[in-house]
Amino acid sequence: MSENVPANTDLLYRLHDRPTPIKAFLGAIQHVLAAFVGIITPSLIIGGTLGLGEHIPYLLSMSLIVSGVATFIQTRKVGPVGSGLMALQGTSFGFLAAVLTAGFVVKNRGGGPEEILSVIFGVSFLGAFVEIFLSQFITKLKSFMSLLLQAA
Protein backbone atom coordinates (compact mmCIF):
# COMPACT_ATOMS: atom_id res chain seq x y z
CA MET A 1 0.00 0.00 0.00
CA SER A 2 1.24 3.46 -0.80
CA GLU A 3 2.34 5.81 1.96
CA ASN A 4 0.74 8.78 0.14
CA VAL A 5 -2.82 7.63 0.91
CA PRO A 6 -4.54 10.07 3.29
CA ALA A 7 -5.37 8.60 6.71
CA ASN A 8 -9.09 9.45 6.43
CA THR A 9 -9.83 7.30 3.34
CA ASP A 10 -11.19 3.77 3.21
CA LEU A 11 -9.26 2.90 0.06
CA LEU A 12 -6.76 0.09 0.34
CA TYR A 13 -5.08 0.78 -3.03
CA ARG A 14 -4.83 3.83 -5.20
CA LEU A 15 -5.10 3.73 -8.99
CA HIS A 16 -1.54 2.62 -9.76
CA ASP A 17 -0.86 0.57 -6.63
CA ARG A 18 -0.41 -3.18 -6.97
CA PRO A 19 -1.31 -5.75 -4.35
CA THR A 20 1.20 -8.42 -3.42
CA PRO A 21 1.02 -11.56 -5.61
CA ILE A 22 -0.63 -13.63 -2.87
CA LYS A 23 -3.33 -11.00 -2.28
CA ALA A 24 -3.89 -10.68 -6.04
CA PHE A 25 -4.18 -14.49 -6.36
CA LEU A 26 -6.65 -14.76 -3.48
CA GLY A 27 -8.71 -11.88 -4.90
CA ALA A 28 -8.77 -13.56 -8.31
CA ILE A 29 -9.88 -16.89 -6.82
CA GLN A 30 -12.63 -15.12 -4.86
CA HIS A 31 -13.79 -13.36 -8.05
CA VAL A 32 -13.87 -16.60 -10.07
CA LEU A 33 -15.78 -18.48 -7.36
CA ALA A 34 -18.34 -15.67 -7.03
CA ALA A 35 -18.82 -15.62 -10.81
CA PHE A 36 -19.03 -19.42 -10.91
CA VAL A 37 -22.01 -19.42 -8.55
CA GLY A 38 -23.85 -16.81 -10.61
CA ILE A 39 -23.19 -18.68 -13.85
CA ILE A 40 -24.34 -22.13 -12.74
CA THR A 41 -27.34 -21.19 -10.55
CA PRO A 42 -29.82 -20.49 -13.40
CA SER A 43 -28.95 -23.85 -14.97
CA LEU A 44 -29.54 -25.60 -11.66
CA ILE A 45 -32.90 -23.87 -11.27
CA ILE A 46 -33.99 -24.76 -14.81
CA GLY A 47 -32.80 -28.36 -14.59
CA GLY A 48 -34.28 -28.97 -11.16
CA THR A 49 -37.62 -27.31 -11.84
CA LEU A 50 -38.18 -29.04 -15.19
CA GLY A 51 -36.94 -32.41 -13.90
CA LEU A 52 -34.10 -32.74 -16.40
CA GLY A 53 -32.13 -35.02 -14.07
CA GLU A 54 -29.16 -36.48 -15.96
CA HIS A 55 -29.08 -33.48 -18.32
CA ILE A 56 -28.19 -30.99 -15.57
CA PRO A 57 -24.42 -31.56 -15.90
CA TYR A 58 -24.78 -30.80 -19.62
CA LEU A 59 -26.58 -27.54 -18.81
CA LEU A 60 -23.87 -26.60 -16.30
CA SER A 61 -21.08 -27.34 -18.77
CA MET A 62 -22.76 -25.33 -21.51
CA SER A 63 -23.27 -22.38 -19.17
CA LEU A 64 -19.59 -22.32 -18.26
CA ILE A 65 -18.38 -22.80 -21.85
CA VAL A 66 -20.64 -20.08 -23.26
CA SER A 67 -19.65 -17.74 -20.43
CA GLY A 68 -15.97 -18.27 -21.25
CA VAL A 69 -16.45 -17.76 -25.00
CA ALA A 70 -18.63 -14.68 -24.46
CA THR A 71 -16.09 -13.19 -22.04
CA PHE A 72 -13.31 -13.80 -24.57
CA ILE A 73 -15.34 -12.11 -27.33
CA GLN A 74 -16.17 -9.19 -25.04
CA THR A 75 -12.54 -8.57 -24.07
CA ARG A 76 -11.20 -8.85 -27.64
CA LYS A 77 -12.72 -5.95 -29.52
CA VAL A 78 -13.23 -7.09 -33.11
CA GLY A 79 -14.92 -4.40 -35.16
CA PRO A 80 -18.19 -3.42 -33.50
CA VAL A 81 -18.30 -6.58 -31.36
CA GLY A 82 -17.01 -6.41 -27.80
CA SER A 83 -16.04 -3.60 -25.50
CA GLY A 84 -12.31 -4.30 -25.30
CA LEU A 85 -12.61 -4.31 -21.50
CA MET A 86 -12.46 -7.19 -19.04
CA ALA A 87 -16.17 -7.77 -18.58
CA LEU A 88 -17.24 -11.17 -17.33
CA GLN A 89 -20.21 -12.49 -19.30
CA GLY A 90 -22.49 -15.05 -17.75
CA THR A 91 -26.01 -16.33 -17.56
CA SER A 92 -28.89 -14.20 -16.39
CA PHE A 93 -31.82 -14.73 -14.07
CA GLY A 94 -33.95 -12.41 -16.23
CA PHE A 95 -34.93 -15.14 -18.67
CA LEU A 96 -35.89 -17.82 -16.14
CA ALA A 97 -39.64 -17.21 -16.28
CA ALA A 98 -39.75 -17.45 -20.08
CA VAL A 99 -37.53 -20.55 -20.21
CA LEU A 100 -39.47 -22.32 -17.47
CA THR A 101 -42.78 -21.46 -19.15
CA ALA A 102 -41.57 -22.85 -22.48
CA GLY A 103 -40.24 -25.94 -20.73
CA PHE A 104 -43.50 -26.57 -18.90
CA VAL A 105 -45.49 -26.19 -22.13
CA VAL A 106 -43.41 -28.93 -23.73
CA LYS A 107 -43.50 -31.07 -20.58
CA ASN A 108 -47.30 -30.78 -20.26
CA ARG A 109 -47.67 -31.91 -23.88
CA GLY A 110 -45.78 -35.09 -23.06
CA GLY A 111 -42.30 -34.02 -24.18
CA GLY A 112 -39.24 -35.57 -22.62
CA PRO A 113 -36.00 -33.93 -21.49
CA GLU A 114 -34.56 -33.88 -25.03
CA GLU A 115 -37.60 -32.02 -26.38
CA ILE A 116 -37.54 -29.58 -23.47
CA LEU A 117 -33.87 -28.83 -24.05
CA SER A 118 -34.35 -28.41 -27.80
CA VAL A 119 -37.14 -25.89 -27.25
CA ILE A 120 -35.10 -23.98 -24.66
CA PHE A 121 -32.05 -23.81 -26.92
CA GLY A 122 -34.13 -22.93 -29.99
CA VAL A 123 -35.94 -20.11 -28.23
CA SER A 124 -32.64 -18.80 -26.85
CA PHE A 125 -31.04 -18.95 -30.30
CA LEU A 126 -33.88 -17.02 -31.95
CA GLY A 127 -34.06 -14.58 -29.04
CA ALA A 128 -30.38 -13.74 -29.54
CA PHE A 129 -31.12 -12.55 -33.07
CA VAL A 130 -33.99 -10.40 -31.80
CA GLU A 131 -31.58 -8.76 -29.35
CA ILE A 132 -28.95 -8.25 -32.05
CA PHE A 133 -31.56 -6.61 -34.29
CA LEU A 134 -32.92 -4.36 -31.54
CA SER A 135 -29.41 -3.31 -30.48
CA GLN A 136 -29.03 -1.51 -33.80
CA PHE A 137 -31.86 0.83 -32.78
CA ILE A 138 -31.11 1.23 -29.08
CA THR A 139 -30.73 5.03 -29.19
CA LYS A 140 -34.05 5.43 -31.01
CA LEU A 141 -35.72 2.97 -28.64
CA LYS A 142 -34.31 4.92 -25.69
CA SER A 143 -35.84 8.14 -27.01
CA PHE A 144 -39.13 6.38 -27.69
CA MET A 145 -39.24 4.92 -24.18
CA SER A 146 -38.50 8.35 -22.70
CA LEU A 147 -41.45 9.80 -24.61
CA LEU A 148 -43.71 7.01 -23.35
CA LEU A 149 -42.62 7.59 -19.77
CA GLN A 150 -43.20 11.34 -20.07
CA ALA A 151 -46.69 10.75 -21.46
CA ALA A 152 -47.62 8.47 -18.57
Side-chain angles (χ1 to χ4, degrees):
M1 195 160 100
S2 176
E3 288 78 36
N4 296 337
V5 176
N8 60 353
T9 183
D10 291 336
L11 294 176
L12 297 177
Y13 300 102
R14 293 184 345 178
L15 180 60
H16 298 290
D17 291 345
R18 290 186 174 228
T20 62
I22 189 70
K23 286 184 179 179
F25 176 76
L26 292 174
I29 293 295
Q30 178 184 10
H31 183 78
V32 167
L33 291 175
F36 186 78
V37 170
I39 292 168
I40 67 169
T41 302
S43 297
L44 289 172
I45 293 170
I46 291 168
T49 303
L50 294 174
L52 297 177
E54 70 276 359
H55 297 284
I56 292 176
Y58 173 72
L59 286 172
L60 296 175
S61 298
M62 290 306 298
S63 296
L64 292 168
I65 289 170
V66 169
S67 175
V69 170
T71 300
F72 182 80
I73 291 171
Q74 185 69 269
T75 57
R76 307 281 183 201
K77 187 165 177 57
V78 179
V81 179
S83 66
L85 302 171
M86 180 55 196
L88 182 67
Q89 303 297 298
T91 55
S92 172
F93 289 85
F95 67 92
L96 281 178
V99 168
L100 291 174
T101 301
F104 278 123
V105 167
V106 174
K107 190 173 185 177
N108 291 337
R109 292 186 177 175
E114 289 81 13
E115 290 85 8
I116 293 171
L117 288 174
S118 65
V119 167
I120 290 172
F121 294 149
V123 168
S124 298
F125 182 74
L126 293 176
F129 287 106
V130 171
E131 287 187 32
I132 291 169
F133 176 75
L134 291 177
S135 71
Q136 304 304 311
F137 308 103
I138 194 74
T139 55
K140 293 176 185 171
L141 287 172
K142 187 170 124 179
S143 300
F144 179 70
M145 293 303 288
S146 296
L147 288 174
L148 286 178
L149 290 174
Q150 288 176 356

